[in-house]
Amino acid sequence: MADVLNVPTTEDFTAFNALLAKQAEHFAPMIAWAGKECAESEGLDGLLSLLQPHVHEPADFFAEKLKQCQSGMGTIQDKITTVDARFGDQDRGRAADMAKLFPDDVSNIPNISAIPGASSLGNFNDEGVTLKTPDKPDSINKGLLGHLVEYRSPLDAKGIGGKWSAVMGGNHLWIADKAYKMVTGDSLIDKLFKPLAGDWDRLMYLHDAYDTLGDACYTVAATLRKGSWKLGGEWKGDTGTAFDAHMFRWTSGIGGIGDGAKVVAKAYSTGYETIINLVRIVVSAIDRAISTAIKALAEEALKMIAGDAAIMVVGLGPEDPLADIAAAAWTAWRMVKIYEKVKLVASIVTTIYQTYQLIETEASKIWDEAKKSIEGLTTDISIGSVVQDVEQRGFAFEKNAAWTPLLGVGRMTMLPSATG
């Protein structure tokens, strides 16, 4: 322990504590945000339903980490207050006592006070944290089939499904559905459209929620860096260096939470882009099927109905034995035709289901990528590299486009105990 220890003024200690209090205030809505916006799973139905039970897991994880940070702000305040009250310039006798407040390993830790102009670079000014609620998934998206089928999808808003109403107006799909069910026992409408029940825009909503949370964490981390550089730049000696190390762990850990949120946000946006392109392929295939094979099946079914009706009129009704024989022969002939048309439609449905399976695979990848942010990845980021980042890009260096969140997410493991 150095013989001479120089500490900042009471005014600066007080200002730094006030800054810590403001960050604790910022964490409150961030915790609520993680628990609400980042956990919103409404609309994750159909092919997206496998995501629904997992949505809350990263949200809960980040909420707990943010609570740890909120509590930690009060712990740091207590330490700073103790230093200010019991520790004065050149107070050699209490040096060991003060070292216990910041017990972090100070080996290979640069002393911020040794960096030229560090104190003048930092300040105790708070930076506002903005949490803007993401746009809600499009409320006008009632589904590909408009009011005729109650399956939800954003495709109408994307300009993909607008032409379906004309096809549905002719009732081709409904008639084909009855014929398909008569042969296979399955509903054609359910087979084609039930998997599309998911609200695809919910994925982008969750991306926006996590992206916003990540930015908020970066803002708090940058604010604490500025304040700790201001204070650390004035604080000479081993205890000052230990303070630098302690705050480095906090700012890096909070930044790491931001990185984790960004990793999850990226997973949702990447999944959305891939899935929505596959959905467009499905919709295009369904559209072609309705215009061709499904329409042909419906027309074949109509011919059978029309033929039965004609025979009943000519034969004076179903009580006429000749009418029954004619109707049976006519129906059998038409059933062969209908079976052929159903077989063609079924093959198209099988092809479409292959794309549905790809969509499910991509949806599962979203969760796999999100888990990367909560599995405690390790990091080799040092205070030296952070000093370099600050000098080159400023205190909010994580907001720079050159920053890679996936490489920094492991910084969460550097967070000190909220009580330590």
Side-chain angles (χ1 to χ4, degrees):
M1 185 60 64
D3 290 338
V4 177
L5 300 168
N6 302 116
V7 297
T9 64
T10 294
E11 289 74 19
D12 281 353
F13 274 136
T14 302
F16 184 68
N17 265 353
L19 187 65
L20 290 169
K22 290 296 296 183
Q23 304 324 297
E25 291 178 10
H26 292 321
F27 278 122
M30 291 164 65
I31 292 167
W33 182 273
K36 183 179 183 297
E37 305 302 338
C38 294
E40 181 58 72
S41 61
E42 181 183 359
L44 295 181
D45 306 314
L47 296 174
L48 298 178
S49 59
L50 59 86
L51 271 176
Q52 194 170 61
H54 297 296
V55 168
H56 72 92
E57 293 181 36
D60 292 346
F61 173 82
F62 288 117
E64 287 303 312
K65 287 293 183 184
L66 293 169
K67 289 177 184 177
Q68 179 181 346
C69 294
Q70 184 184 43
S71 298
M73 297 303 99
T75 302
I76 303 171
Q77 283 181 276
D78 292 341
K79 293 175 183 288
I80 294 298
T81 300
T82 300
V83 171
D84 187 33
R86 299 170 55 192
F87 192 27
D89 289 350
Q90 303 180 18
D91 194 337
R92 177 180 167 193
R94 293 179 182 154
D97 187 30
M98 292 302 104
K100 295 177 183 178
L101 293 173
F102 302 105
D104 298 82
D105 181 8
V106 296
S107 60
N108 300 318
I109 298 295
N111 190 343
I112 297 297
S113 66
I115 300 174
S119 179
S120 60
L121 287 173
N123 60 61
F124 300 129
N125 298 329
D126 181 44
E127 298 292 337
V129 171
T130 302
L131 295 171
K132 181 182 179 297
T133 303
D135 293 333
K136 298 291 184 183
D138 211 325
S139 60
I140 66 171
N141 298 327
K142 302 302 182 184
L144 290 172
L145 305 183
H147 66 281
L148 297 176
V149 180
E150 297 181 34
Y151 297 141
R152 293 179 302 142
S153 169
L155 296 172
D156 287 333
K158 303 294 180 185
I160 301 174
K163 54 188 176 183
W164 290 65
S165 58
V167 176
M168 290 304 301
N171 290 326
H172 288 138
L173 186 56
W174 293 107
I175 295 171
D177 179 69
K178 292 181 180 300
Y180 190 89
K181 186 179 294 184
M182 178 176 63
V183 174
T184 67
D186 295 325
S187 167
L188 177 61
I189 290 176
D190 281 352
K191 294 285 284 186
L192 290 179
F193 299 106
K194 198 168 185 178
L196 293 176
D199 193 340
W200 314 102
D201 279 350
R202 177 60 65 189
L203 299 178
M204 283 307 295
Y205 180 98
L206 289 167
H207 161 270
D208 293 347
Y210 276 102
D211 195 56
T212 297
L213 183 63
D215 283 338
C217 290
Y218 288 162
T219 297
V220 172
T223 300
L224 286 173
R225 275 192 204 106
K226 288 193 303 180
S228 62
W229 273 50
K230 172 67 175 173
L231 201 66
E234 303 170 358
W235 196 340
K236 296 179 175 61
D238 289 347
T239 306
T241 304
F243 166 79
D244 296 335
H246 192 69
M247 291 308 302
F248 167 69
R249 289 180 61 191
W250 274 111
T251 56
S252 294
I254 294 168
I257 297 174
D259 289 331
K262 291 288 185 176
V263 169
V264 176
K266 178 66 174 177
Y268 276 119
S269 64
T270 300
Y272 172 82
E273 293 298 334
T274 303
I275 287 172
I276 205 66
N277 285 332
L278 290 172
V279 170
R280 288 190 178 102
I281 292 173
V282 166
V283 170
S284 179
I286 293 175
D287 184 49
R288 288 194 302 271
I290 285 181
S291 301
T292 56
I294 292 175
K295 183 178 180 181
L297 173 59
E299 289 174 346
E300 199 63 54
L302 286 172
K303 289 177 183 178
M304 185 176 73
I305 295 171
D308 286 344
I311 289 173
M312 288 173 64
V313 171
V314 173
L316 302 178
E319 294 81 7
D320 190 325
L322 294 177
D324 291 341
I325 295 172
W330 173 263
T331 300
W333 168 250
R334 282 300 168 193
M335 277 302 299
V336 171
K337 295 296 184 181
I338 286 176
Y339 178 80
E340 292 174 350
K341 297 294 190 298
V342 168
K343 187 177 180 181
L344 177 59
V345 172
S347 69
I348 294 173
V349 170
T350 298
T351 301
I352 289 172
Y353 260 71
Q354 292 174 353
T355 306
Y356 281 152
Q357 289 172 346
L358 289 177
I359 292 175
E360 286 187 316
T361 298
E362 292 302 321
S364 67
K365 286 181 181 179
I366 293 176
W367 171 236
D368 291 338
E369 288 297 312
K371 283 194 295 185
K372 289 182 179 180
S373 68
I374 60 175
E375 290 181 339
L377 303 181
T378 58
T379 179
D380 59 359
I381 293 175
S382 66
I383 193 170
S385 64
V386 171
V387 168
Q388 187 178 32
D389 284 327
V390 170
E391 290 176 338
Q392 293 178 352
R393 303 185 182 94
F395 290 106
F397 57 81
E398 290 108 332
K399 292 185 178 182
N400 189 283
W403 182 258
T404 305
L406 188 57
L407 297 180
V409 67
R411 296 183 299 165
M412 280 188 285
T413 60
M414 302 175 71
L415 280 172
S417 166
T419 59

